[in-house]
Amino acid sequence: MAYTVLPDFSVHPLPRVIRVEPSSACNLRCVHCPTGIRKGAKRGVMSRAVFNKVVKEIRDNKGVDVVVLYHGGEPFLNKDIFHMIKAIKKLGIRFVKTVTNGMMVTEEMIPRILKSGIDSIEFSLDGNSPEDNDRLRRGGDYKRVASIVKLMLMQRDKFKLVKPDIYVANTQVTTKKNFKSNKDISTPRFLLDDFRDFNGKVLFKNTFMYKWPGFDNPEQYELLCPKREEKTPGYCNHVHEVTTIRWNGDVVPCCLDIVSQYIVGNIMQHSLSEIWNSEKYRSLRKSIYDRKFYRLCSHCHEVMPQSYLVLKDDEAANLAKG
């Protein structure tokens, strides 16, 4: 889809990708996520009233063909999640995806997930070992989540289903010495070994730990900013092609803004089309074009060189000792 950017930084048409947050709350306290370590933030699950307004906005915006049911929290904390998936798919949306830490998913829920119509589900399992995962994902249990993923893969075969695609997303922690480009990162051996019976059936996504906007570095990490080619000057696809609706109806311009640093409106007060080309949205786009970045964008890897969090040498040494 071609987007037209007018001189006042209005963008037409509305975005084809909309992210919807079923829950901003999370049952884990991951050390590399603002949701896990920020205290005092107001969190909750999306109500039926807000979701019904989301459905109306998507229905009114004929160009939407991708909906991601995920933002800063755990989607399966919302008991309406299956209703949400089915309602979105009923609108004729081509691709619907969610992301989960897997701890709320039970064996009994697996058939419902597989037959819900969702196109892709992504489970987060981090680090370079099961123990590493449980250290990073505080409250998580690698063995439990891995077993759920395997059961889902087996039942997908049993039901002879093509969809959903089932991913394991892995965030790795490294050191300055061992850092490589994200382009060269590989799936950790422990995951390949554990899922060897599902080769080609489970998909892997790998990245190094990066700095989220609004994220204060934990003391055991330091910031690494390797040199790399700059992004396209003056452009960010997040503010031109995607928008995000949080659990309470707040609209934020970026999937990386999981602490609501820059709220551009609320769909319970204005339509999405009014918000999409509001003064706040247009001002943000102009700031990126002028490279006079707002705080939200000042360390963001979409417009600046990527910033990673790596373990300090002494912390890495302590972990190596066990």
Side-chain angles (χ1 to χ4, degrees):
M1 180 185 296
Y3 290 88
T4 301
V5 182
L6 300 182
D8 68 349
F9 294 94
S10 296
V11 176
H12 298 276
L14 270 72
R16 73 176 190 87
V17 181
I18 294 182
R19 299 178 66 94
V20 179
E21 182 178 54
S23 169
S24 67
C26 189
N27 51 315
L28 302 189
R29 305 177 312 283
C30 302
V31 301
H32 52 315
C33 172
T35 301
I37 65 172
R38 277 179 72 100
K39 297 179 181 179
K42 184 179 180 182
R43 300 192 176 105
V45 298
M46 183 172 282
S47 68
R48 279 284 181 110
V50 174
F51 180 69
N52 288 342
K53 186 61 161 56
V54 169
V55 170
K56 180 182 184 302
E57 293 295 337
I58 293 174
R59 185 187 295 118
D60 291 346
N61 177 19
K62 304 299 183 183
V64 176
D65 73 342
V66 175
V67 172
V68 181
L69 289 168
Y70 172 73
H71 187 55
E74 169 52 46
F76 286 92
L77 283 174
N78 191 322
K79 295 180 180 179
D80 275 348
I81 186 65
F82 293 105
H83 165 75
M84 298 171 85
I85 295 168
K86 291 178 180 179
I88 295 294
K89 287 301 291 185
K90 192 175 180 180
L91 295 173
I93 300 301
R94 176 184 61 83
F95 185 83
V96 179
K97 167 188 174 179
T98 194
V99 180
T100 176
N101 60 50
M103 291 296 293
M104 300 297 296
V105 179
T106 64
E107 183 175 350
E108 292 73 25
M109 291 167 61
I110 291 174
R112 292 187 69 191
I113 294 171
L114 291 173
K115 297 178 180 181
S116 68
I118 199 157
D119 297 285
S120 177
I121 183 168
E122 188 174 301
F123 291 86
S124 298
L125 290 169
D126 294 340
N128 294 291
S129 68
E131 296 76 20
D132 211 12
N133 174 83
D134 295 353
R135 178 181 62 82
L136 292 168
R137 306 187 66 79
R138 292 179 299 190
D141 183 333
Y142 173 82
K143 290 182 179 179
R144 185 184 185 285
V145 177
S147 69
I148 287 293
V149 177
K150 293 172 188 176
L151 283 170
M152 189 172 289
L153 289 162
M154 288 188 287
Q155 291 198 31
R156 187 182 63 180
D157 283 350
K158 177 183 175 181
F159 296 138
K160 298 181 180 180
L161 298 172
V162 177
K163 295 288 184 178
D165 292 329
I166 300 172
Y167 283 85
V168 170
N170 173 257
T171 296
Q172 298 175 29
V173 185
T174 188
T175 61
K176 281 185 177 180
K177 179 180 178 181
N178 296 326
F179 177 80
K180 297 179 181 179
S181 165
N182 253 345
K183 294 180 180 179
D184 301 324
I185 193 170
S186 58
T187 303
R189 174 51 55 185
F190 84 100
L191 287 175
L192 294 175
D193 289 344
D194 199 9
F195 287 92
R196 60 183 176 276
D197 293 337
F198 302 94
N199 185 34
K201 297 181 179 180
V202 63
L203 305 169
F204 295 102
K205 293 173 65 175
N206 309 296
T207 185
F208 286 119
M209 185 190 301
Y210 56 80
K211 178 179 172 59
W212 290 82
F215 183 80
D216 295 325
N217 301 355
E219 61 181 12
Q220 65 267 43
Y221 300 102
E222 58 184 322
L223 199 61
L224 175 65
C225 301
K227 291 183 179 180
R228 49 157 250 186
E229 292 183 7
E230 293 285 338
K231 291 282 186 177
T232 303
Y235 180 81
C236 172
N237 74 300
H238 287 280
V239 300
H240 288 84
E241 301 176 26
V242 187
T243 198
T244 297
I245 304 172
R246 300 216 65 178
W247 68 280
N248 60 354
D250 283 345
V251 177
V252 293
C254 176
C255 68
L256 299 172
D257 187 10
I258 62 177
V259 298
S260 292
Q261 283 190 323
Y262 193 81
I263 298 170
V264 289
N266 187 290
I267 62 164
M268 303 305 285
Q269 300 167 5
H270 299 93
S271 70
L272 189 57
S273 61
E274 290 174 319
I275 296 170
W276 180 242
N277 284 315
S278 64
E279 182 179 349
K280 289 195 72 173
Y281 236 131
R282 290 185 285 111
S283 176
L284 181 63
R285 294 183 190 119
K286 185 178 187 304
S287 73
I288 294 171
Y289 180 83
D290 293 337
R291 298 191 67 80
K292 295 179 180 179
F293 299 119
Y294 292 177
R295 185 162 60 100
L296 171 65
C297 309
S298 58
H299 294 286
C300 180
H301 62 266
E302 290 297 323
V303 293
M304 301 286 285
Q306 178 69 282
S307 298
Y308 296 94
L309 291 176
V310 298
L311 278 172
K312 294 179 178 177
D313 291 338
D314 54 349
E315 185 70 20
N318 290 335
L319 286 175
K321 293 175 183 178

